[in-house]
């Protein structure tokens, strides 16, 4: 579009239309990226719940439901069913060895009878119910960071090593 | 350290997101747009401060953001290419009273918006009175009136 008598400034603006078309194309690519981010969030890829973010694991009676993908500063639930032992009064759960430095426990139900931190990790003792079963639920908030972490649980001779990914 | 990294990352992400959103999306000052901007501000603030409401953290975050802003403006001064990519360029939407439909569509601007700008800025009431209408880099529409016809 070049008409005679076009002021130089208008001409200069018009000459940049090729660049503008490229920017509009980049804009549309940006929208697709934003859509992908939102869809991934709905699937749980960024944590905060969702099918990808939630995991379940079980080994000989020790079963855990945990958030596979977590965010620092955001507490995620952790539910542990300790291996039942009819007749026993107490159950010991060992979280570690780096549990205390990588997570902050927010609230725990039931409260442990005893809690001690040592080189092996965090050792918690819970009371079993009359049938010998014990379940613990708490929220743990990852400390600041980005990347993979490992959540190790031990109870009654069983061990589970759960992978966790933390977003900042 | 985290505050600086978070602030820098958030600055870059916001620049990218706002560029992708386009020039006019947040330009209108309808009540809803104001609310949207406020909500975005709140979300950003939460991410930057977290649970640390100390004076130190606030100063570090604010200084980081302003420093990046100054750095970018210096960068834009030196490089025209960076300037064009970050700020955008003006686009002619109407020429000699004729709207360029393809560009209006891509820029997501209605002819009604152009006519409103013509009324507001120049007191013009029709397309035939517009010589050029330009969508500026900042999202405003400027209108150059047609020369009055002789006779």
């Amino acid at each position: 579009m070049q008409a005679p008598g076009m002021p130089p400034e208008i001409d200069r603006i018009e000459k940049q239309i090729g660049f503008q078309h490229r920017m509009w194309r980049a804009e549309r690519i940006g929208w697709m990226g934003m859509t992908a981010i939102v869809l991934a969030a709905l699937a749980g890829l960024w944590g905060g719940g969702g099918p990808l973010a939630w995991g379940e694991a079980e080994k000989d009676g020790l079963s855990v439901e945990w958030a596979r993908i977590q965010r620092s500063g955001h507490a995620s639930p952790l539910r542990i069913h300790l291996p039942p032992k009819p007749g026993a009064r107490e159950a010991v759960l060992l979280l570690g060895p780096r549990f205390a430095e990588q997570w902050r426990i927010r609230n725990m139900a039931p409260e442990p009878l005893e809690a001690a931190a040592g080189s092996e990790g965090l050792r918690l003792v819970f009371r079993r119910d009359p049938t010998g079963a014990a379940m613990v639920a708490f929220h743990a908030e990852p400390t600041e960071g980005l990347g993979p972490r490992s959540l190790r649980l031990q109870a009654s001779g069983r061990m589970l090593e759960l992978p966790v990914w933390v977003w900042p | 350290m985290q505050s600086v990294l978070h602030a820098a990352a958030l600055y870059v992400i916001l620049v990218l997101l706002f560029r992708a959103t386009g020039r006019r999306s947040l330009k209108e000052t309808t009540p809803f747009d104001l609310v949207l901007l406020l909500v975005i501000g709140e979300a950003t603030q939460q991410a930057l401060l977290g649970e640390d409401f100390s004076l130190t953290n606030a100063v570090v975050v604010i200084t980081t953001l302003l420093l990046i802003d100054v750095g970018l403006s210096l960068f834009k001064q030196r490089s025209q290419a960076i300037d064009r990519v970050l700020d955008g360029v003006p686009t002619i939407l109407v020429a000699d009273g004729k709207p360029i439909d393809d560009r209006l569509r891509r820029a997501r601007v209605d002819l009604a918006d152009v006519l409103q700008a013509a009324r507001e800025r120049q007191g013009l009431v029709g397309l035939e009175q517009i010589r050029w209408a330009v969508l500026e880099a900042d999202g405003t529409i400027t209108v150059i009136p047609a020369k009055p016809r002789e006779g």
Side-chain angles (χ1 to χ4, degrees), chain B residues 59-118:
Chain B
V59 169
V60 168
V61 164
I62 292 168
T63 308
T64 305
L65 292 171
L66 290 177
L67 187 63
I68 298 175
D69 211 43
V70 168
L72 262 180
S73 66
L74 289 172
F75 211 2
K76 282 191 287 188
Q77 265 193 323
R78 274 160 209 257
S79 163
Q80 218 203 11
I82 298 283
D83 188 22
R84 286 198 316 176
V85 169
L86 285 177
D87 284 351
V89 295
T91 307
I92 296 174
L93 296 178
V94 173
D96 291 321
K98 287 192 252 329
I100 306 173
D101 291 320
D102 178 56
R103 295 182 195 179
L104 283 164
R105 188 178 52 84
R106 283 180 200 274
R108 291 173 286 141
V109 173
D110 296 325
L111 203 49
D113 297 330
V114 176
L115 291 170
Q116 181 184 345

Side-chain angles (χ1 to χ4, degrees), chain B residues 128 146-151:
Chain B
E128 67 282 356
K147 289 196 175 56
R149 286 182 190 282
E150 251 115 277

Side-chain angles (χ1 to χ4, degrees), chain A residues 49-126:
Chain A
L52 286 178
W54 198 241
E56 286 169 21
E58 198 263 337
K59 192 173 195 180
D60 289 334
L62 172 64
S63 76
V64 186
E65 293 157 66
W66 88 106
R68 261 200 290 255
I69 302 178
Q70 300 182 9
R71 306 171 184 165
S72 14
H74 176 81
S76 301
L78 186 59
R79 280 194 280 277
I80 307 167
H81 295 262
L82 298 165
K85 220 175 197 177
R89 301 275 293 279
E90 290 177 354
V92 177
L93 174 66
L94 189 63
L95 297 165
R98 297 187 62 203
F99 186 86
E101 37 174 287
Q102 290 182 324
W103 277 276
R104 237 173 264 136
I105 296 182
R106 282 298 183 194
N107 39 48
M108 200 180 292
E111 292 283 342
L113 297 171
E114 260 176 60
S119 57
E120 282 188 340
L122 191 59
R123 186 174 179 279
L124 304 166
V125 180
F126 297 94

Side-chain angles (χ1 to χ4, degrees), chain A residues 1 3-7 9-14 16-17 19-28 30-31 34 37 73 104 106 141 144-145 168, chain B residues 2 6 17 19-23 51 80-81 84-86 88-93 95-96 100 102-104 106-108 131-132 134-136 144:
Chain A
M1 184 196 68
M6 198 189 260
E9 183 58 15
I10 296 286
D11 191 44
R12 187 189 71 81
I13 291 174
E14 186 56 21
Q16 295 182 311
I17 193 63
F19 175 82
Q20 183 60 65
H21 277 290
R22 286 198 295 278
M23 290 309 296
W24 279 327
R25 193 162 49 236
E27 217 175 76
R28 285 197 296 277
W31 299 342
M34 286 160 74
I37 289 173
R104 237 173 264 136
R106 282 298 183 194
E141 177 195 304
E144 192 55 61
Chain B
Q2 297 292 349
H6 280 199
L17 284 175
R19 280 305 269 133
T21 309
R23 284 181 269 198
E51 288 176 329
Q80 218 203 11
R84 286 198 316 176
V85 169
L86 285 177
V89 295
T91 307
I92 296 174
L93 296 178
D96 291 321
I100 306 173
D102 178 56
R103 295 182 195 179
L104 283 164
R106 283 180 200 274
R108 291 173 286 141
R131 184 139 187 239
W132 283 295
V134 179
L135 176 64
E136 302 293 346
I144 292 107

